[in-house]
């Protein structure tokens, strides 16, 4: 006969079994953790990645390469994580620095959001604002700038959740402090480390100067527009290129890489209308060093490359000022004028559409005159602090912070041990009290037995006398 269990009893048994199973798993899990870390108080620290560098694009490898080189030189273990599958970092052979592709989009952010690391360094804004979240297992996040301009040019709240900043100018630090005050943020650490990629760029430039120029005698204009509706090519079109060709100078057009993606059809039209000649070239080199080196004047918007050109190559520029709506940027919170707007008139000449017919004369006056030299020196002084030592200073700070975090963790472990020892001592004291009570009780019982024995002996002696 089959054993019958009514539905109510069956349900109760299933609940009990699931409860016992869950309790067992919980018990085993805790036992494994205890066994794993028993006598290995440094194990948690050893499992953490000491230094992680995150780059959302290969274009920032010039920012991080000098830092990775310096970490390698000092024998410091680190991991460089990139969202670009063709990042040049992946071809670099290091012994102590690991370079790895972590995927794109949500795949990459899933890795970043669960990082177990001590120090995380990145130039990517909007930490803890969009997909990229602070990991609860990462201790300290450092933001490093990738251009010498205003740090408030990021989208709103772009730097609010970093713990520290590696900057290149005091005006950037002042902007950070103002945002902290306005938003009631804690005061973060600021180090004026300099600009890593500009140090490298200047070293390359000095070496190239020693080798001498291979240019012909004709001057070269570099047209380096950005992309989008405010970009020179899109805003002024083919007519502007025709004006530049008419000057008789050599012309190199180097569109922003995104133009070939977002404005592909328009770019194709322009290239068909203006095919390459001896005096006109279209440039798409990954590295812009050679094209910057071989030009005499640059025409661009107020993007980061104009500062490279003026401050490193010490050459004149002509710039256009696009329509800029501050509403969605951090700079909208601050009434002060942007440093970029303040310095531009001192390092270049603004070009408006009503001056296009005079573009040849304007270019000649810029090339022949050195009146902007003082402005370029001011830009270097204010936006390129610690020139030549950015990588060393950055790594000094990273390693100091790493040691500080290790010391803090060790102190917390010591406090935990002290608390545990106090708890153990308290338990021992309780056990001692229990033992003492038992001993006193036994002594009392022995005393009573002894007294009883004495009385029995006395009775015996009395009986003997009676006999």
């Amino acid at each position: 006969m089959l054993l019958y269990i009514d539905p109510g009893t069956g349900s109760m048994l299933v609940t009990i079994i699931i409860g016992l199973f869950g309790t067992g798993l919980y018990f085993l899990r805790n036992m494994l953790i205890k066994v794993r870390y028993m006598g290995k108080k440094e194990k948690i620290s050893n499992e953490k990645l000491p230094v992680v560098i995150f780059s959302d694009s290969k274009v920032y490898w010039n920012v991080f390469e000098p830092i990775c080189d310096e970490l390698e030189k000092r024998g410091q273990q680190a991991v460089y994580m990139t969202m670009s599958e063709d990042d040049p970092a992946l071809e670099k052979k290091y012994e102590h620095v690991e370079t790895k592709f972590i995927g794109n989009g949500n795949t990459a952010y899933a890795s970043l959001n669960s990082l177990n690391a001590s120090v995380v360094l990145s130039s990517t804004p909007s930490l803890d604002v969009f997909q990229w979240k602070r990991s609860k297992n990462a201790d300290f996040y450092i933001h490093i700038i990738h251009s010498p301009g205003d740090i408030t040019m990021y989208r709103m709240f772009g730097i609010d959740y970093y713990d520290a900043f590696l900057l290149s100018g005091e005006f950037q630090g002042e902007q950070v402090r103002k945002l902290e005050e306005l938003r009631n943020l804690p005061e973060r650490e600021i180090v004026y480390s300099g600009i890593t990629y500009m140090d490298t760029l200047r070293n390359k430039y000095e070496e190239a100067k020693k080798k001498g120029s291979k240019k012909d005698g004709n001057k070269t204009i570099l047209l380096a527009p950005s992309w989008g509706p405010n970009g020179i090519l899109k805003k002024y079109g083919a007519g502007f290129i025709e004006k530049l060709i008419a000057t008789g100078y050599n012309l190199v057009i180097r569109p922003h890489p995104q133009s070939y993606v977002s404005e592909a059809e328009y770019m194709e039209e322009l290239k068909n209308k203006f095919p390459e000649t001896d005096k006109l070239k279209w440039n798409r080199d990954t590295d812009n060093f050679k094209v910057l080196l071989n030009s005499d004047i640059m025409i661009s918007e107020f993007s980061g490359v104009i500062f490279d050109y003026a401050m490193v190559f010490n050459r004149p520029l002509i710039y256009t000022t696009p329509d800029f709506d501050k509403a969605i940027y951090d700079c909208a919170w601050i009434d002060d004028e942007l440093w970029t707007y303040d310095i531009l008139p001192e390092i270049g000449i603004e070009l408006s559409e009503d001056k296009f017919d005079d573009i040849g004369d304007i270019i000649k006056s810029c090339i022949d005159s050195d009146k902007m030299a003082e402005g370029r020196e001011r830009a270097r002084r204010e936006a390129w602090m610690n020139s030549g030592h950015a990588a060393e200073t950055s790594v000094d700070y990273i390693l100091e912070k790493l040691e500080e975090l290790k010391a803090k963790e060790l102190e917390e472990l010591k406090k935990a041990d002290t608390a545990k020892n106090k708890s153990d001592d308290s338990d021992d004291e309780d056990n001692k009290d229990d033992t003492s009570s038992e001993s006193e009780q036994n002594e009392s019982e022995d005393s009573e037995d002894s007294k009883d024995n004495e009385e029995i002996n006395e009775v015996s002696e009395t009986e003997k006398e009676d006999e």
Side-chain angles (χ1 to χ4, degrees):
M1 178 179 175
L2 294 174
L3 181 65
Y4 171 76
I5 300 176
D6 66 86
T9 305
S11 176
M12 182 179 67
L13 286 173
V14 170
T15 303
I16 292 171
I17 292 170
I18 292 174
L20 290 172
F21 183 71
T23 302
L25 283 178
Y26 182 80
F27 174 78
L28 287 173
R29 175 180 174 274
N30 280 288
M31 287 300 296
L32 285 171
I33 290 173
K34 287 180 180 179
V35 170
R36 188 178 184 185
Y37 295 121
M38 191 180 296
K40 299 180 180 180
K41 294 174 184 175
E42 296 294 331
K43 186 69 176 178
I44 295 175
S45 289
N46 291 338
E47 281 199 337
K48 275 184 179 289
L49 298 173
V51 180
V52 170
I53 299 173
F54 166 56
S55 176
D56 61 70
S57 172
K58 65 180 180 181
V59 301
Y60 301 119
W61 175 235
N62 61 356
V63 174
F64 295 117
E65 184 178 21
I67 292 176
C68 288
D69 289 348
E70 186 67 21
L71 288 168
E72 175 72 14
K73 178 182 173 183
R74 301 192 194 188
Q76 174 60 51
Q77 296 293 327
V79 180
Y80 173 86
M81 299 181 176
T82 177
M83 289 175 69
S84 293
E85 198 167 3
D86 56 346
D87 194 317
L90 301 174
E91 301 298 322
K92 194 105 182 215
K93 303 300 180 185
Y94 288 121
E95 181 181 352
H96 304 287
V97 179
E98 179 186 0
T99 60
K100 59 191 296 188
F101 171 61
I102 59 171
N104 295 301
N106 291 334
T107 301
Y109 293 123
S111 297
L112 295 169
N113 296 349
S114 59
L115 271 180
N116 187 12
S118 292
V119 176
V120 182
L121 175 70
S122 182
S123 66
T124 305
S126 299
L127 170 66
D128 229 23
V129 177
F130 297 118
Q131 299 104 311
W132 183 25
K133 304 298 183 183
R134 286 183 64 114
S135 169
K136 64 180 181 180
N137 296 316
D139 300 323
F140 202 79
Y141 286 81
I142 304 172
H143 180 80
I144 183 171
I145 57 164
H146 54 258
S147 75
D150 300 88
I151 198 168
T152 54
M153 295 289 280
Y154 290 132
R155 291 293 181 101
M156 207 171 288
F157 314 115
I159 57 171
D160 282 14
Y161 300 103
Y162 275 96
D163 301 302
F165 302 92
L166 299 179
L167 306 178
S168 66
E170 289 184 352
F171 67 92
Q172 297 163 345
E174 291 168 1
Q175 291 172 346
V176 169
R177 292 289 180 246
K178 285 181 180 178
L179 288 175
E180 289 171 347
E181 183 180 352
L182 289 166
R183 295 175 180 165
N184 197 28
L185 297 170
E187 187 171 291
R188 279 76 59 82
E189 296 180 21
I190 292 175
V191 177
Y192 295 107
S193 57
I195 311 174
T196 54
Y197 82 88
M198 286 183 72
D199 289 350
T200 303
L201 195 60
R202 184 175 58 185
N203 291 339
K204 288 178 68 175
Y205 175 59
E206 294 299 331
E207 287 296 319
K209 280 202 305 184
K210 291 177 184 177
K211 296 177 181 179
S213 174
K214 297 180 181 180
K215 288 176 54 183
D216 59 31
N218 199 29
K219 301 295 184 181
T220 299
I221 303 166
L222 173 59
L223 178 60
S226 188
W227 66 282
N230 285 318
I232 292 174
L233 291 181
K234 195 72 174 177
K235 190 171 184 178
Y236 300 123
F240 185 63
I241 297 178
E242 289 172 347
K243 296 285 186 185
L244 293 177
I245 292 173
T247 63
Y249 293 113
N250 294 334
L251 175 62
V252 177
I253 305 174
R254 180 182 168 83
H256 191 283
Q258 189 62 33
S259 294
Y260 291 101
V261 178
S262 301
E263 304 161 339
E265 187 176 340
Y266 181 66
M267 291 303 303
E268 194 64 27
E269 289 177 11
L270 288 178
K271 292 184 76 172
N272 289 335
K273 186 175 180 64
F274 301 103
E276 288 198 356
T277 66
D278 291 342
K279 296 179 73 67
L280 171 63
K281 303 294 181 186
W282 290 85
N283 183 272
R284 293 189 67 175
D285 293 347
T286 302
D287 186 349
N288 66 0
F289 177 77
K290 187 175 179 181
V291 72
L292 293 175
L293 177 67
N294 292 329
S295 60
D296 298 281
I297 188 169
M298 174 188 284
I299 301 176
S300 185
E301 302 89 359
F302 70 125
S303 60
V305 70
I306 64 175
F307 294 119
D308 300 348
Y309 197 71
M311 294 163 65
V312 176
F313 294 88
N314 201 34
R315 293 175 187 173
L317 60 95
I318 295 172
Y319 65 91
T320 62
T321 305
D323 298 326
F324 181 66
D325 183 4
K326 296 167 59 174
I328 61 173
Y329 300 94
D330 274 332
C331 58
W333 287 66
I334 300 176
D335 294 331
D336 298 345
E337 184 177 30
L338 289 168
W339 179 85
T340 299
Y341 283 146
D342 183 47
I343 199 68
L344 273 176
E346 295 194 31
I347 63 175
I349 294 177
E350 184 176 1
L351 179 66
S352 55
E353 199 166 359
D354 60 338
K355 296 179 182 177
F356 282 3
D357 290 338
D358 302 321
I359 189 67
D361 294 334
I362 293 172
I363 291 171
K364 186 176 188 306
S365 66
C366 284
I367 292 176
D368 294 342
S369 174
D370 202 27
K371 65 181 181 180
M372 300 293 176
E374 187 176 336
R376 292 194 290 268
E377 182 54 39
R378 179 198 154 193
R380 281 188 285 267
R381 187 171 61 251
E382 294 181 0
W384 194 359
M385 297 173 67
N386 199 36
S387 174
H389 305 284
E392 302 97 298
T393 305
S394 298
V395 171
D396 283 345
Y397 175 70
I398 290 168
L399 297 187
E400 285 170 12
K401 181 55 61 176
L402 189 60
E403 289 305 310
E404 180 184 319
L405 292 168
K406 285 181 179 178
K408 182 180 178 181
E409 185 180 6
L410 185 59
E411 184 64 27
E412 289 174 352
L413 286 170
K414 286 181 179 178
K415 287 181 180 178
D417 279 348
T418 301
K420 184 177 183 301
N421 290 335
K422 283 183 179 179
S423 177
D424 291 345
D425 290 342
S426 177
D427 291 343
D428 291 342
E429 197 64 38
D430 290 342
N431 292 333
K432 184 178 180 181
D433 290 342
D434 292 342
T435 304
S436 177
S437 297
E438 288 180 12
S439 178
E440 290 174 359
Q441 184 178 349
N442 291 336
E443 287 178 3
S444 176
E445 291 174 354
D446 291 343
S447 177
E448 290 293 329
D449 291 343
S450 177
K451 186 177 179 181
D452 291 342
N453 289 335
E454 287 178 3
E455 292 177 351
I456 292 170
N457 289 334
E458 287 178 1
V459 170
S460 284
E461 289 296 327
T462 304
E463 289 175 348
K464 285 181 180 179
E465 290 177 0
D466 291 342
E467 290 178 359

